Amino acid sequence: GYGRTAVNYEEGRSTFVDDVLTSQNETQVSARVRLNVHATTSTDQGVDFGARLRLQWDQGDSGIDRVSPGQIYVTASGFTVAVGNVGTAFDNAGLLYASEVGLISRSFGNPMGDFYAYESKSYGANNNRLGVSVEYAVDALKARFSYVDADQTGLTDADEEISISVDYDWNDVALSAAALKDGKSIDGNDQYFLGAYYTLAGTENGVGLSYIDNGVANKPVVVDGIRTGTANVEQGKTFVLYGDYVVAPLTTISAYVANNDAAGNETDNAFGIGARYDLGGAYLAGSLERGYDENVRGDFGVRFDF
Amino acid sequence: GYGRTAVNYEEGRSTFVDDVLTSQNETQVSARVRLNVHATTSTDQGVDFGARLRLQWDQGDSGIDRVSPGQIYVTASGFTVAVGNVGTAFDNAGLLYASEVGLISRSFGNPMGDFYAYESKSYGANNNRLGVSVEYAVDALKARFSYVDADQTGLTDADEEISISVDYDWNDVALSAAALKDGKSIDGNDQYFLGAYYTLAGTENGVGLSYIDNGVANKPVVVDGIRTGTANVEQGKTFVLYGDYVVAPLTTISAYVANNDAAGNETDNAFGIGARYDLGGAYLAGSLERGYDENVRGDFGVRFDF
Amino acid sequence: GYGRTAVNYEEGRSTFVDDVLTSQNETQVSARVRLNVHATTSTDQGVDFGARLRLQWDQGDSGIDRVSPGQIYVTASGFTVAVGNVGTAFDNAGLLYASEVGLISRSFGNPMGDFYAYESKSYGANNNRLGVSVEYAVDALKARFSYVDADQTGLTDADEEISISVDYDWNDVALSAAALKDGKSIDGNDQYFLGAYYTLAGTENGVGLSYIDNGVANKPVVVDGIRTGTANVEQGKTFVLYGDYVVAPLTTISAYVANNDAAGNETDNAFGIGARYDLGGAYLAGSLERGYDENVRGDFGVRFDF
């Protein structure tokens, strides 16, 4: 797991207080403690079995309300099959989040539509959610498939989400592609991702390009500052160009430009720049970004893995 | 702890949705991740002290809502005294669950009355529950006593449950007996168990016989498909004949026939058959059973301990 | 962490049941299981990073409802800076709780006003609470500073609590002082502590003196046995004289006399005596105390650390 804390500035930060959109302090401290519990055993035939749980606390939680739902998996001959609270093929696509900057790891080039992912806290009302995932890894290839049913009991009639993704390393180029059907059990919420990243031979400098067809996301509907409900909103298509450059030993500068054509944007262009300094076992990082709503956000802090 | 997952078929499976008995999918995936946390220390005099907690997630839980209530215990000279969330003497009787088959470990020959056991999740409304248990183990003998008070504050006036059990190994025969007073704080809910298991010398094949006087269980009262409340229902007496047979290396077939004379049964006879294949560190298992309501259930899956 | 259990007698013990003050059993079993989770990493420059969580169950909890909020800290060159769920400078003052006796570690000479401390369970409604603490330790000196904001979002307008404390060892005398502003975000709830403890050279026998200006505590207002609300009540000033004496190998007797001048006291003098027998890795302890309400309480039990 890891621990991290950062000063986090978000221009125009607000939240809903009893459905009323209310301003809050733009500068707050963000923190997270994540603890992965991973219990494994191996059979005489070389098959590995494992179970995963996660404890995660974020600043703003009164405590760890719930330890995550469990996952059971089996690994043999390059195949990993998992049942329960699984990571999904789309969410795990190798380059999907590659344009992220800063300590909190954010980017306006990230996917904006709704889909399932490994759940760090609680299924919430979907307590009968069931996921199954398959991953196959061999040499430079990783292929993934996942299936998530929001309610396996059949009491509610939600669509199942199905997704696939493939990563492939070819010389100095990493390729990644993913597709998704009925994301987060929203009928017709199909999404697509294509990404490539080129690393300059003999360096850690590189440049990447991504295309995301975002599908829809369920968002609050706000009328005159009052939340009146939620609606599925088209999130448009996103193109992202990004790169990383090692400016000095242990110090990496990253930046991205993203273009998204969703209807509600104030501007279709967002960009961000970040820096990271490696302490060996921990790192300092900061970033500055400007989003599609023309607001600025930035962070600076420290993260360490354990 | 352990992890397990299985496909679980239950004919006529249903649940209450706002007190209305509602059908759900007969075939569902069952999964469990159980993690026992066990912290111990030993004094210079050779006395062992320990504390136990359990984290358990079952498919159908939105997460691990609560880590189990704690248990404190002391072990010395064969005696173990535990306070808090204790295992009870009745529930821990050596052969009480010996007729179970399949991956999920079920049997219609299991006890059907209500009584306290180690609580894997939460006391619920009985947050002031207090248990005390004593176990004495020497050579072939294990004797147990337990006491559980549903509310030690005295604010509610519930009966205390008291239970005892004894296990004894005599040549190739294992004997087990248990008795219970006021099970789960229900006045007059007394229960008795007698069991024996004979292992053929030099093999792992065996045959067992159990008798259980089940007392009562608190069950929903359903009128025209609507749950109108709960009532304490007599669970009758159960006789179980069961056996295990190693048909091939690592492969064991188990089966049982159970007879129960409770008033509400569609049939007084239930039976089950199961198979288990040892993978070394994990096992595959499956079962098929037919219950007192003439419905069939079956499972197939994998379990591993860690 | 540790485990402990004790028989706990409290004369006139009562609790609120739907706001009605109701008697409960005076003698109950008390138990606690505390598990500290502590994940750390060190950088190449010798800086230590760590994250803390706590799982704590007390008799009376239905389970561990919430794992504690997290804490992130950094240690370098004698300085420790922590963010999140931090211990506070006032609460961590070296001698603040030095007059405690018995297994449950209680004393009427403890501080009685409200202030923040490390939260073992949940922030409750103050989920946006944020703490920052700094500790500096060098040779015989420890200095601490802490800051706790009940709501960093600014949505509620609570005062921030600030506190400092200093411990210093000078030959056979330990000195400790602390000050607090706006304790537990109550405006004007300032508190002060001064303490000294003298150890007889070459022994573990000693005698201590404390002065506490307690500020206020938020207490239920009870009219004719009914709780009508809460109010901030002045807790007066407390003087405590206490001592420890090793009467036999492994056996220590401790005692205190405390004087508090708060308006609501039946008597201004309280006292307590306790004994502790070391088992090596665990200890037995018991105590008897008489409080400002002229009621007696006592405990006897066992505790072990792990």
Side-chain angles (χ1 to χ4, degrees), chain A residues 1-4 30-37 53-69 85 104 118-122 303 306, chain B residues 55 64, chain C residues 37 51-55 66-72:
Chain A
Y2 64 84
R4 75 176 187 206
S30 160
R32 171 177 288 176
V33 176
R34 175 182 286 183
L35 204 74
N36 294 316
V37 179
L53 295 174
R54 178 176 288 176
L55 291 90
Q56 180 171 317
W57 175 80
D58 289 287
Q59 175 67 38
D61 298 341
S62 64
I64 298 180
D65 291 18
R66 284 182 177 77
V67 178
S68 81
N85 179 14
I104 303 177
Y118 181 84
E119 175 54 58
S120 296
K121 294 181 178 175
S122 163
R303 170 176 160 161
F306 48 75
Chain B
L55 290 92
I64 299 179
Chain C
V37 180
R52 286 181 218 268
L53 295 174
R54 179 175 288 176
L55 289 92
R66 284 183 176 76
V67 178
S68 80
Q71 179 194 120
I72 305 279

Side-chain angles (χ1 to χ4, degrees), chain C residues 162-193:
Chain C
I162 290 173
S163 76
I164 53 167
S165 67
V166 180
D167 296 343
Y168 189 71
D169 288 332
W170 177 67
N171 294 330
D172 299 327
V173 180
L175 298 170
S176 181
L180 182 67
K181 193 173 173 303
D182 298 335
K184 213 163 193 170
S185 302
I186 299 169
D187 188 33
N189 181 19
D190 302 342
Q191 303 178 31
Y192 304 93
F193 163 69

